[in-house]
């Protein structure tokens, strides 16, 4: 049995590496027809491979040695494998291929965006910096230009998403589910909480975080001299401009290397491996997919970081965030079987979001005299995201529970939820967003359903680390590294319990975070 597992582990790593390399190369240049062909190949091939994977998983779960293996590796990996069996049947292979092709079509559409602005063609990623420009006219023109692109492509985005909802519903019902919601949870490998717990979390955010964010936005409006926060001003926080990292992208990467060499021996080893082997691609370019992520080259035991620097503080945030993921991947490089390092996203995002806050001690090297503004912006921005993450999550529950709804029904429902989660934001001046179509700009809604709430869960845990790091930095770091090094033997709730972090599903624990952030902000005035 051990030989069989080792053999399967080797093949899994090799196959995953070929797939990930194709994905990386295609994302770097979506106009590259060779790698477009490779992505088409993987869109068709992965569902077929799942049939072989299912056969192996079934054999593993039915093994007479299962108890012995659980004693050695713990039960969580086996729970994950049991869940995986609930997400696949040979009957759905063609539908999975359709779903994959739709995801690639979505990426192709957004990566092809060309927006004429200030006499040059810009990608969506390159437009981001203009939303923070100190000149209100530039912000207005930039927001309108992006909205115009979405308006022109809105029907196509609706068409793609409508097909996604239909095929995912078909897949779910073929597998015996009422709709895609429960299957979506299984795909996310959720084991210790369900939709009712997540609904409780969302309500806690409405009660305790939405009022705090509304306060932040009222203070922002007063600070920048406007009566209310509109889409044109949403990302502009300070009258003299938002904090921007000093220097070039090379300067950012150079200080990043210094930071991680000083942070700990583990991060020093990691950053040297990443930099010496050029395991980054961070510059925005025409044809490059937008966003940022960290993936792995599993046969080599190495991470790879993808991003689109745009000249804003996001460049630093994406660096620190993705290095958190990279640290977990690198620390698990020798874990056997490799399935033990296959964390669900609620745990993986703790690795990244907490790292953003542990990096605070080195922010002066990035921001100089704007460091204090960065702290304020980063912390308030993290909290401001929570209601957005909850809104996306509630929207997806509604979409897949009401899978016969029309695109216009979806827009109307989103517009209604805006009042619940972002009552401070006036979108009336931009028709595309006023019509309830902001959600169409969110990649995860299309590609990774039910992922967004994991950012919220992990973000709340990360802020617990932030709070402890202010008083007991060594204790906080040791807890963090323990989570980083804990292989897939713990569920989300078991893991944070071991780290003495309260569950985010209890409203009083959300209130604790709101109070801690409020106190920190008030003490700096």
């Amino acid at each position: 049995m051990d030989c069989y597992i080792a053999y399967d582990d080797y093949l899994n790593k090799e196959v995953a590496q070929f797939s990930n390399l194709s994905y990386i190369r295609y994302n770097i240049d979506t106009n590259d027809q060779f790698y477009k062909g490779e992505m088409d190949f993987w869109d068709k091939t992965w569902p077929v491979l799942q049939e072989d994977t299912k056969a192996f998983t079934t054999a593993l779960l039915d093994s007479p040695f299962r108890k012995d293996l659980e004693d050695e590796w713990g039960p969580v990996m086996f729970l994950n494998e049991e869940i995986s069996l609930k997400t696949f049947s040979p009957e759905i292979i063609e539908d999975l291929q359709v779903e994959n092709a739709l995801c690639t079509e979505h990426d192709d559409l957004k990566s092809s965006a060309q927006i004429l602005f200030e006499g040059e063609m810009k990608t969506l990623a390159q437009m981001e910096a203009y939303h923070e420009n100190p000149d209100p006219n530039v912000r207005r023109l930039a927001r309108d230009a992006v909205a115009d692109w979405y308006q022109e492509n809105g029907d196509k985005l609706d068409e793609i998403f409508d097909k996604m909802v239909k095929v995912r519903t078909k897949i779910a019902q073929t597998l015996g589910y009422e709709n895609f919601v429960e299957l979506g949870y299984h795909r996310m490998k959720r084991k210790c909480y369900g939709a009712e717990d997540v609904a409780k979390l969302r309500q806690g955010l409405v009660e305790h975080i939405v009022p705090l964010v509304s306060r932040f936005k009222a203070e922002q409006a007063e600070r920048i001299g406007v009566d209310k926060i509109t889409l044109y001003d949403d990302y502009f926080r300070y009258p003299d401009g938002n904090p921007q990292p000093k220097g070039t992208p090379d300067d950012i990467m150079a200080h990043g290397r210094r930071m991680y060499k000083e942070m700990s021996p583990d991060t020093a080893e990691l950053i040297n491996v990443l930099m010496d082997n050029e395991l980054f691609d961070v510059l925005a370019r025409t044809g490059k997919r937008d966003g940022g992520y960290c993936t792995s080259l599993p046969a080599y035991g190495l991470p790879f970081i993808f991003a689109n620097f745009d000249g804003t503080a996001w460049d630093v945030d994406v660096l620190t965030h993705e290095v958190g993921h990279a640290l977990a991947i690198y620390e698990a490089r020798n874990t056997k079987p490799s399935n033990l390092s296959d964390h669900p996203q609620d745990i993986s995002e703790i690795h990244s979001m907490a790292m953003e806050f542990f990096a605070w001690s080195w922010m002066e090297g990035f921001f100089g005299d704007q460091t204090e503004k960065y702290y304020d912006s980063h912390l308030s921005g993290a909290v401001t995201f929570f209601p957005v993450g909850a809104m996306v999550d509630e929207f997806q529950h509604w979409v897949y529970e009401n899978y016969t709804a029309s695109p216009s029904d979806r827009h109307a429902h989103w517009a209604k939820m805006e009042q619940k989660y972002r009552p401070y934001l006036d979108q009336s001046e931009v028709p595309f967003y006023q019509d309830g179509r902001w959600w169409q700009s969110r990649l995860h809604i299309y590609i990774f359903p039910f992922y967004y709430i994991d950012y919220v869960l992990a973000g709340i845990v990360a802020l617990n680390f932030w709070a402890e790091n202010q008083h007991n930095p060594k204790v906080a770091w040791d807890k963090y590294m323990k989570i980083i090094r804990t292989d897939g033997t713990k569920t989300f709730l078991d893991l944070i319990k071991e780290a003495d972090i309260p569950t985010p599903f209890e409203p009083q624990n959300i209130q604790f975070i709101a109070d801690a952030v409020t106190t920190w902000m008030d003490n700096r005035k």
Side-chain angles (χ1 to χ4, degrees):
M1 187 61 167
D2 286 341
C3 292
Y4 186 17
I5 290 171
Y7 180 65
D8 181 77
D9 209 41
Y10 169 78
L11 287 179
N12 281 342
K13 287 182 177 181
E14 290 293 325
V15 172
Q17 179 147 304
F18 279 121
S19 174
N20 287 357
L21 281 169
S22 298
Y23 184 72
I24 292 166
R25 290 293 187 183
Y26 168 69
N27 287 176
I28 287 172
D29 182 5
T30 59
N31 295 317
D32 188 314
Q33 291 305 301
F34 175 81
Y35 284 107
K36 175 65 169 69
E38 290 291 286
M39 285 304 299
D40 291 341
F41 168 81
W42 287 111
D43 285 346
K44 295 182 178 72
T45 301
W46 270 119
V48 177
L49 290 176
Q50 280 186 253
E51 187 168 5
D52 294 327
T53 302
K54 180 179 181 180
F56 172 78
T57 300
T58 301
L60 176 65
L61 294 175
D62 291 343
S63 167
F65 304 106
R66 174 171 172 173
K67 184 179 184 305
D68 299 315
L69 294 173
E70 286 192 14
D71 289 342
E72 182 174 351
W73 297 331
V76 171
M77 188 184 88
F78 293 87
L79 288 174
N80 286 338
E81 298 296 353
E82 287 175 351
I83 289 172
S84 73
L85 291 182
K86 299 176 182 179
T87 67
F88 179 79
S89 165
E91 299 170 88
I92 66 170
I93 287 177
E94 290 186 8
D95 292 321
L96 289 173
Q97 291 171 332
V98 170
E99 183 184 7
N100 289 344
L102 288 168
C103 290
T104 299
E105 184 180 0
H106 169 269
D107 283 353
D108 286 347
L109 177 61
K110 291 193 68 174
S111 299
S112 70
Q114 291 284 282
I115 298 171
L116 181 61
F117 194 75
E118 295 188 337
E120 296 181 3
M121 300 305 293
K122 307 285 187 182
T123 66
L124 289 169
Q126 290 169 331
M127 289 298 297
E128 288 296 319
Y130 295 102
H131 300 322
E132 301 182 12
N133 194 285
D135 186 337
N137 292 323
V138 171
R139 296 199 302 275
R140 179 175 291 271
L141 290 171
R143 181 64 75 179
D144 287 344
V146 171
D148 287 346
W149 184 88
Y150 277 106
Q151 189 77 51
E152 291 167 9
N153 293 276
D155 289 344
K156 185 61 179 176
L157 287 166
D158 271 336
E159 178 188 334
I160 292 171
F161 189 65
D162 200 57
K163 290 178 179 178
M164 286 176 165
V165 172
K166 285 180 169 60
V167 76
R168 286 170 180 155
T169 300
K170 182 183 177 186
I171 289 169
Q173 292 179 343
T174 300
L175 292 172
Y177 299 101
E178 180 180 354
N179 55 52
F180 180 72
V181 174
E182 188 176 359
L183 175 58
Y185 272 54
H186 285 332
R187 284 186 177 185
M188 297 301 293
K189 297 182 180 177
R190 292 179 181 155
K191 298 171 286 295
C192 55
Y193 56 90
E196 290 184 2
D197 299 298
V198 173
K200 188 176 178 181
L201 168 65
R202 295 196 304 262
Q203 184 57 36
L205 293 170
V206 169
E207 292 175 5
H208 301 296
I209 299 298
V210 170
L212 179 58
V213 174
S214 296
R215 171 194 152 178
F216 288 161
K217 289 298 180 176
E219 292 171 350
Q220 177 183 336
E222 182 178 359
R223 196 163 55 236
I224 64 176
V226 297
D227 294 331
K228 58 187 177 182
I229 294 295
T230 69
L231 274 170
Y232 301 120
D233 303 316
D234 192 26
Y235 293 167
F236 183 65
R237 294 185 172 95
Y238 308 96
D240 57 343
N242 287 7
Q244 292 182 314
K246 302 183 302 179
T248 65
D250 285 341
D251 295 327
I252 292 172
M253 297 301 289
H255 181 63
R257 186 168 197 162
R258 286 193 294 273
M259 172 176 68
Y260 283 115
K261 288 179 76 171
E262 294 173 7
M263 188 177 289
S264 77
D266 301 298
T267 55
E269 180 179 346
L270 170 68
I271 201 65
N272 286 335
V273 168
L274 291 172
M275 300 287 277
D276 293 345
N277 292 282
E278 299 182 5
L279 294 167
F280 289 93
D281 190 293
V282 299
L283 300 180
R285 295 183 297 275
T286 299
K288 186 177 179 182
R289 180 184 185 266
D290 64 353
Y293 60 78
C294 179
T295 189
S296 66
L297 304 175
Y300 299 149
L302 295 173
F304 182 88
I305 290 175
F306 176 97
N308 283 271
F309 280 9
D310 60 12
T312 70
W314 188 84
D315 297 352
V316 175
D317 293 342
V318 74
L319 174 64
T320 56
H321 182 99
E322 303 306 342
V323 168
H325 285 309
L327 181 60
I329 291 170
Y330 189 67
E331 288 289 319
R333 64 193 180 280
N334 296 319
T335 298
K336 295 180 181 179
S338 59
N339 285 6
L340 279 175
S341 62
D342 186 16
H343 297 291
Q345 301 306 326
D346 48 17
I347 292 176
S348 292
E349 293 303 337
I350 296 173
H351 305 153
S352 56
M353 300 184 86
M355 176 61 82
E356 293 183 37
F357 290 103
F358 281 115
W360 267 26
S361 297
W362 288 268
M363 286 301 111
E364 189 170 353
F366 292 115
F367 293 99
D369 60 4
Q370 299 183 63
T371 302
E372 292 298 318
K373 278 201 301 186
Y374 172 78
Y375 292 150
D376 176 88
S377 177
H378 184 224
L379 185 60
S380 62
V383 175
T384 298
F385 170 79
F386 292 162
V388 176
M391 179 163 53
V392 167
D393 185 73
E394 182 176 329
F395 177 68
Q396 291 187 101
H397 279 82
W398 183 88
V399 163
Y400 289 108
E401 288 167 357
N402 298 272
Y403 49 82
T404 61
S406 67
S408 60
D409 291 334
R410 294 180 193 127
H411 303 323
H413 190 74
W414 181 270
K416 180 181 177 182
M417 288 199 309
E418 286 278 8
Q419 297 304 308
K420 176 179 178 181
Y421 288 101
R422 295 199 293 188
Y424 60 83
L425 184 61
D426 181 355
Q427 304 181 61
S428 61
E429 296 184 64
V430 190
F432 179 77
Y433 299 109
Q434 182 185 17
D435 293 342
R437 303 180 76 156
W438 182 90
W439 66 269
Q440 290 186 305
S441 67
R442 301 299 93 183
L443 174 145
H444 291 68
I445 293 178
Y446 287 82
I447 310 299
F448 307 114
F450 296 107
Y451 192 140
Y452 245 44
I453 203 67
D454 290 346
Y455 288 122
V456 177
L457 287 166
I460 293 170
V461 173
L463 285 177
N464 276 272
F465 278 117
W466 163 80
E468 183 157 29
N469 193 50
Q470 294 177 71
H471 308 290
N472 302 297
K474 185 179 185 307
V475 171
W477 180 258
D478 288 346
K479 283 184 180 180
Y480 172 71
M481 285 306 299
K482 185 175 181 181
I483 284 180
I484 285 281
R485 290 185 174 128
T486 299
D487 53 31
T489 58
K490 305 288 182 185
T491 67
F492 172 81
L493 290 178
D494 286 342
L495 194 65
I496 65 171
K497 184 178 180 181
E498 273 198 8
D500 196 27
I501 293 172
T503 169
F505 297 115
E506 295 300 330
Q508 65 267 27
N509 298 332
I510 298 174
Q511 181 67 62
F512 166 78
I513 290 299
D515 291 344
V517 171
T518 300
T519 299
W520 189 89
M521 290 289 195
D522 288 346
N523 287 342
R524 300 176 74 81
K525 290 181 177 179

